[in-house]
Amino acid sequence: MTQLQTARTLQDATTQERDPRAAATELRSKLGDAKNALIALFVSHDRDLPPLAKALSDEFADTQIVGCTTAGEVTPMGYANGSVTAVAFRADTFDASITEIPDLEDFELTSGQALATSAIESFQEQFGTEPDFSLFLIDGLSVREELVLAALEPLVSKVPLLGGSAGDGTNFGRTHILIDGEFRTDTAAVALLSCRRPFHVFKTQHFVGTTERLVVTGAESSKRIVSEINGLVAGEEYARAVGLEGAELTPLVFAAHPVVMKIGGLYYVRSIQRVDEQGRLHFFCAIEEGSVLTVARGVDMVDDLDRALNDVEAKLGEVEAVLTFDCILRRLESDRKALGPRLQSLFERFNIVGFSTYGEQFHRMHVNQTFTGLAIGGLDENDG
């Protein structure tokens, strides 16, 4: 193991202050005086958002800001609730630019592709280099993740993309993106960054497929609703398949018993948000009629994350910090199984910070129930 320089290039700070001005002031104090290329802010959904946006803009007037509301915050001290958590990308290591993708309800593929191309060209013109990766935040109730990711193909084909869908606790009422000094709905933001440190983009999930097949025989893909599975009412057939026939289907049940789809030889989790009065299942991602799902079997979530982080450390040699987009259903499972102390140990060891999402983005895919991360490598004390 090599010794890291004291000054971290991906710095984090968290405040529980409820007063907007006091919260912004505390974050500024904790982050220090280093010049930053970008600050990402993950904000509890229950905050008074307009005055908080003003306070943050005033306090960080010299820095680009992007952020969103959350389904909970992730800090090196473990899962948090009710906080404002900041991640600062130091200007001596990163270059950054932010592009808004507005009016998601009327979003069109062609305009999105043009926007992605323009963002790359502007970055190259401003900094004289290609971006190394991109961070993506989107209104978590827009139901536009798949469409926007498809439109960002000119970007995703060049650099890795990762991100998260904004949250609203477990309310699923309204989510917001912080951009240009305002919390906005029906919008997304993509930040392009170059990085002068080794880094690695990765994801992990702790579920594998079984032999229990669920064929989607009725669906409204654009609304992420599945009405029939195996020709039967979706909720009832799902409950039978997971051995909970007649039981109430709650968020904790869905967190413990997701389904997976095999794509390109790999399993991807397709998580369920809720069941409605008609027994239809509302998913966190689009499901096409004819899709073949399988009931997933879970492995130990902490062991899986430990393995993934050790693999990343082996690639980078040393991990300075990890920015994560971590599914709300993982947090619910952690609560149900009392995994908090074990997870906190990993969060602290790897300086993990981020937020709990309504879905994660990884390259071209909108995924569920995953830990998606950007790991920044350390710098030897003898390096320039």
Side-chain angles (χ1 to χ4, degrees):
M1 304 288 278
T2 55
Q3 183 178 355
L4 298 183
Q5 287 184 335
T6 301
R8 284 168 43 202
T9 60
L10 196 67
Q11 190 70 35
D12 66 89
T14 297
T15 179
Q16 291 286 348
E17 286 281 357
R18 300 301 300 182
D19 178 77
R21 289 287 167 187
T25 299
E26 183 176 354
L27 289 176
R28 182 77 190 204
S29 175
K30 287 182 174 180
L31 290 176
D33 296 326
K35 182 175 176 56
N36 295 305
L38 175 73
I39 294 177
L41 288 156
F42 307 124
V43 180
S44 175
H45 67 98
D46 60 355
R47 292 285 176 145
D48 192 356
L49 298 180
L52 179 60
K54 178 66 165 61
L56 291 168
S57 294
D58 290 346
E59 195 66 54
F60 297 103
D62 56 344
T63 307
Q64 299 180 97
I65 293 175
V66 69
C68 65
T69 55
T70 76
E73 302 77 59
V74 178
T75 79
M77 298 308 295
Y79 285 130
N81 288 295
S83 79
V84 181
T85 294
V87 181
F89 296 78
R90 281 179 46 144
D92 58 7
T93 302
F94 300 94
D95 298 313
S97 68
I98 305 170
T99 299
E100 183 178 13
I101 307 172
D103 304 319
L104 296 181
E105 186 175 359
D106 300 318
F107 182 83
E108 295 183 356
L109 191 67
T110 53
S111 60
Q113 291 170 335
L115 184 148
T117 299
S118 175
I120 296 171
E121 292 174 349
S122 295
F123 188 95
Q124 293 169 330
E125 182 177 343
Q126 182 177 357
F127 300 112
T129 186
E130 297 268 353
D132 290 312
F133 59 85
S134 57
L135 304 178
F136 180 71
L137 299 174
I138 187 169
D139 182 334
L141 297 173
S142 66
V143 198
R144 289 292 186 271
E145 286 93 339
E146 290 91 352
L147 179 60
V148 176
L149 287 177
L152 292 179
E153 176 62 23
L155 170 62
V156 181
S157 64
K158 291 179 178 292
V159 299
L161 176 146
L162 75 160
S165 301
D168 178 34
T170 55
N171 299 317
F172 301 101
R174 197 174 191 192
T175 67
H176 297 80
I177 300 299
L178 174 60
I179 191 166
D180 289 338
E182 295 181 350
F183 283 95
R184 300 172 181 171
T185 60
D186 194 41
T187 197
V190 60
L192 305 185
L193 293 99
S194 62
C195 180
R196 291 175 284 280
R197 282 280 185 91
F199 69 91
H200 184 62
V201 173
F202 68 101
K203 77 173 184 71
T204 189
Q205 65 188 46
H206 61 294
F207 290 96
V208 296
T210 67
T211 58
E212 182 73 44
R213 289 161 52 91
L214 302 173
V215 180
V216 177
T217 51
E220 297 177 70
S221 180
S222 63
K223 297 181 179 180
R224 299 179 178 171
I225 295 173
V226 172
S227 56
E228 286 188 1
I229 293 175
N230 297 339
L232 302 172
V233 176
E236 295 176 3
E237 179 63 0
Y238 164 82
R240 180 205 63 77
V242 300
L244 294 172
E245 194 168 4
E248 181 182 2
L249 298 179
T250 67
L252 289 177
V253 169
F254 298 137
H257 303 282
V259 295
V260 294
M261 180 186 296
K262 203 168 191 178
I263 303 173
L266 299 175
Y267 284 109
Y268 291 88
V269 178
R270 293 293 181 253
S271 297
I272 302 167
Q273 181 190 116
R274 64 184 177 91
V275 61
D276 63 26
E277 294 178 353
Q278 290 77 46
R280 302 180 305 174
L281 296 175
H282 294 245
F283 280 74
F284 280 103
C285 57
I287 303 290
E288 302 283 347
E289 190 169 312
S291 298
V292 178
L293 309 172
T294 59
V295 175
R297 174 179 61 82
V299 298
D300 186 279
M301 183 167 72
V302 184
D303 288 346
D304 174 77
L305 181 58
D306 187 26
R307 175 201 54 76
L309 291 168
N310 282 314
D311 287 348
V312 170
E313 188 173 52
K315 290 182 174 69
L316 294 179
E318 187 84 33
V319 175
E320 180 192 85
V322 175
L323 172 65
T324 183
F325 306 95
D326 185 48
C327 184
I328 175 59
L329 295 178
R330 291 172 58 89
R331 175 186 287 248
L332 292 176
E333 179 177 344
S334 171
D335 290 345
R336 182 172 63 86
K337 295 182 177 179
L339 302 177
R342 293 174 62 204
L343 284 171
Q344 181 180 339
S345 177
L346 286 178
F347 290 1
E348 186 173 10
R349 176 185 165 195
F350 288 95
N351 290 311
I352 295 174
V353 62
F355 77 101
S356 295
T357 76
Y358 279 1
E360 304 78 61
Q361 289 77 51
F362 187 74
H363 301 322
R364 294 171 174 82
M365 297 289 294
H366 175 55
V367 296
N368 301 136
Q369 215 146 342
T370 69
F371 179 104
T372 301
L374 166 70
I376 302 298
L379 185 67
D380 289 356
E381 61 178 351
N382 295 322
D383 287 351

